[in-house]
Amino acid sequence: MFSKILIANRGEIALRIIRACREMGIKSVCVYSEADRDGPWLEQADEAYCIGPGPSNKSYLDISRVMATAEVSDVDAIHPGYGFLAENAHFAEVCESSGISFIGPSPEAIRLLGNKASARDLAVKSKVPLLPGTKELVEDEKEAIEIANDIGYPVIVKAAAGGGGRGMRVAHNEIALVNGYMQARTEAATAFGDDGVYIEKYLERPRHVEIQIISDSHGNYVYCGERDCSLQRRHQKLVEEAPSPVLTPELRQKMGETAVRLCKAAGYVTAGTAEFLLDKNGDFYFMEVNTRIQVEHTVSELVTRTDLIRAQIMAAAGEKLPFTQEDVEVRGHAIEVRINAEDPDNGFRPSPGTITDLFIPGGPGVRWDSHIKVGYTIPPTYDSMVAKLLVFADDRPQAIARMRRALGELKIEGVKTTTPLHQRIMNDGQFIKGDVDTGYIENVLLAK
Ligand code: ADP
């Protein structure tokens, strides 16, 4: 097993990894930027080193600075968390060639599955259901129009290297397609340094259901149930729950086995998530694989009683997973809400600033994954998520009641947060019935 791990990330996920390391008797090393000097998670790490200025390309994304710190602090492995370098195949390669384990998939598996276009190709070969769309990248507007005419509107233009809901445009007709095609390419070039896009059929009002998988180098592949992430704004998740209110045990098994089949075909070892869209008829379509730990992994940890970060570290160290498929049973119900420092009354504008007062919810079945404390100043430089509030209960109605109670206790003063929106969701009749889709928040709840 490793004795020291460098965490190439910040905020709540850095703290989550520090916690796993401590429980495993592994020392943790954090790298941080000048904007994160006062990051409360740094106090919890065994060592912390400043590697550059606030902008991520000068610190968290600067491979040479991260690697120099890894060498100096003499770590055995690097955990990239999510975002930043987590899905960067080149970084995984640099780690490998420096004799430092990358806690994630192999560079080949990242290249194969991390790119949405090549993942689609592998899905076709592995008989994984897909929405109609292109196999190759779309080179120009003319080709885009031909493809859309072929598969029928509405269509969605997606960045092959995309993530976080960026580089995507929906088009219901040719004019919107021509505009959307150019916008998606420009946005993708800026955000991901890669302007490759492809086109697929746009499904109206689907649910987003994803399968968590984890595997080791001994051929043990396990799916840890699903997460329903249908509550989104601008294609970004706000609330996640497990199990999905609409999945039958048969469908769960079918989707789980499909995800495992795809990951096996890619020789994928570690934690990953296969994302699907599910329509009203119970038909599901593959979207992409996230080749990293996700924000919402916590939901699956609660319903399957696993520790996915620990499992990831064990898999990277060449050990066997501490469980097999037979051991993993989905029990109870978990809900997570993302608390972002944003103003829901003002177009969700980021609301960085200093936290002047804080009360953290607790009691039975409550989990709080966050790095914030009173006096901490949330920098404007990074993602606005400041906490994940989770609840776990025997069934969905009790979990919703528990989340209402926990949100009622939560107090974050000094900055605006998404807490009032979550309160509204937890009291919304349609959410309570489990009758929502990916457009629900924008088209119904916020349109009221
Ligand atoms: P990202 O990597 O940016 O998160 P995804 O491919 O995971 O992008 O898609 C994010 C969200 O966009 C999905 O959860 C869904 O709401 C919407 N979406 C993506 N593709 C489609 C599609 N073909 N039809 C309908 N909605 C889609």
Side-chain angles (χ1 to χ4, degrees):
M1 184 37 76
F2 305 128
S3 54
K4 211 179 196 188
I5 291 176
L6 182 139
I7 300 163
N9 217 299
R10 62 180 301 281
E12 74 84 21
I13 193 64
L15 184 55
R16 171 71 188 87
I17 300 162
I18 293 170
R19 285 172 169 157
C21 287
R22 181 119 329 136
E23 289 178 15
M24 296 175 83
I26 300 170
K27 293 241 178 308
S28 57
V29 178
C30 276
V31 289
Y32 63 95
S33 76
E34 285 163 18
D36 277 339
R37 269 189 204 294
D38 300 322
W41 66 95
L42 300 173
E43 295 162 24
Q44 302 298 327
D46 291 297
E47 294 170 40
Y49 301 95
C50 184
I51 54 163
S56 344
N57 60 345
K58 299 211 164 62
S59 46
Y60 295 107
L61 287 173
D62 187 328
I63 294 180
S64 58
R65 290 179 194 220
V66 172
M67 292 312 291
T69 313
E71 301 280 352
V72 169
S73 58
D74 197 23
V75 299
D76 321 291
I78 298 184
H79 198 307
Y82 51 69
F84 296 129
L85 295 169
E87 292 180 90
N88 184 318
H90 172 63
F91 179 60
E93 233 156 37
V94 171
C95 290
E96 225 171 54
S97 59
S98 314
I100 294 175
S101 300
F102 176 73
I103 303 176
S106 66
E108 297 76 34
I110 299 180
R111 287 211 172 91
L112 206 53
L113 288 179
N115 181 290
K116 295 188 195 196
S118 60
R120 272 181 72 87
D121 202 31
L122 187 68
V124 173
K125 290 188 187 126
S126 313
K127 303 207 167 14
V128 171
L130 278 172
L131 286 165
T134 49
K135 272 203 207 134
E136 310 286 332
L137 297 178
V138 182
E139 296 305 335
D140 55 40
E141 291 163 30
K142 196 168 143 274
E143 197 187 331
I145 295 169
E146 278 167 20
I147 293 160
N149 285 337
D150 199 32
I151 58 184
Y153 289 94
V155 296
I156 183 166
V157 186
K158 284 175 147 184
R166 282 174 305 170
M168 265 191 293
R169 288 291 182 281
V170 179
H172 284 83
N173 53 51
E174 196 171 308
I175 297 169
L177 176 66
V178 171
N179 287 334
Y181 173 77
M182 291 318 291
Q183 286 167 353
R185 282 193 81 149
T186 313
E187 198 170 300
T190 321
F192 316 110
D194 173 353
D195 73 349
V197 296
Y198 67 97
I199 293 180
E200 69 184 23
K201 179 84 187 165
Y202 183 71
L203 206 58
E204 303 272 12
R205 328 216 96 194
R207 296 186 81 106
H208 173 121
V209 177
E210 57 187 34
I211 303 288
Q212 173 73 56
I213 78 124
I214 174 94
S215 55
D216 63 24
S217 53
H218 304 271
N220 187 17
Y221 280 78
V222 178
Y223 60 90
C224 296
E226 80 284 6
R227 294 184 287 260
D228 194 312
C229 313
S230 301
L231 288 177
Q232 308 180 345
R233 183 182 161 267
R234 299 208 171 152
H235 306 303
Q236 289 182 30
K237 299 160 188 166
L238 279 171
V239 178
E240 300 101 349
E241 65 182 305
S244 164
V246 297
L247 238 60
T248 58
E250 293 72 37
L251 189 51
R252 173 170 307 118
Q253 186 180 348
K254 199 167 157 198
M255 291 179 79
E257 287 171 358
T258 303
V260 165
R261 192 163 72 240
L262 185 63
C263 291
K264 268 190 184 163
Y268 188 88
V269 172
T270 188
T273 301
E275 298 191 324
F276 298 95
L277 292 175
L278 179 70
D279 69 15
K280 291 253 182 324
N281 309 322
D283 289 321
F284 61 90
Y285 304 94
F286 169 71
M287 264 195 303
E288 62 164 339
V289 174
N290 283 150
T291 59
R292 54 168 160 85
I293 197 75
Q294 280 183 306
V295 169
E296 63 274 23
H297 74 276
T298 37
V299 172
S300 305
E301 289 185 328
L302 291 175
V303 291
T304 59
R305 295 165 309 288
T306 50
D307 181 335
L308 292 169
I309 303 285
R310 181 190 177 92
Q312 254 191 324
I313 294 173
M314 291 177 75
E319 296 195 359
K320 279 191 176 157
L321 292 180
F323 45 78
T324 61
Q325 190 67 63
E326 286 69 49
D327 303 322
V328 175
E329 183 203 343
V330 177
R331 215 167 67 196
H333 199 94
I335 305 177
E336 169 177 280
V337 298
R338 298 190 187 196
I339 310 287
N340 297 342
E342 289 170 4
D343 185 356
D345 293 328
N346 245 313
F348 292 83
R349 199 181 300 154
S351 174
T354 302
I355 293 166
T356 52
D357 198 5
L358 178 66
F359 187 86
I360 298 172
V366 175
R367 172 170 169 177
W368 174 255
D369 276 36
S370 170
H371 56 284
I372 62 173
K373 65 175 189 180
V374 172
Y376 171 58
T377 301
I378 302 161
T381 327
Y382 309 106
D383 189 82
S384 61
M385 192 180 77
V386 292
K388 304 187 301 204
L389 173 60
L390 291 109
V391 295
F392 178 66
D394 285 344
D395 57 28
R396 191 168 186 270
Q398 290 184 67
I400 294 173
R402 186 158 275 171
M403 183 58 91
R404 270 191 223 129
R405 186 269 290 169
L407 284 166
E409 289 175 12
L410 176 62
K411 183 156 111 181
I412 303 177
E413 300 287 337
V415 297
K416 296 265 197 261
T417 73
T418 44
T419 307
L421 175 65
H422 291 308
Q423 272 161 335
R424 229 175 118 185
I425 294 170
M426 294 303 139
N427 287 292
D428 181 75
Q430 243 174 288
F431 169 73
I432 293 168
K433 275 194 279 173
D435 182 18
V436 295
D437 56 63
T438 55
Y440 183 69
I441 289 197
E442 270 168 304
N443 302 336
V444 184
L445 201 76
L446 293 176
K448 272 183 193 166

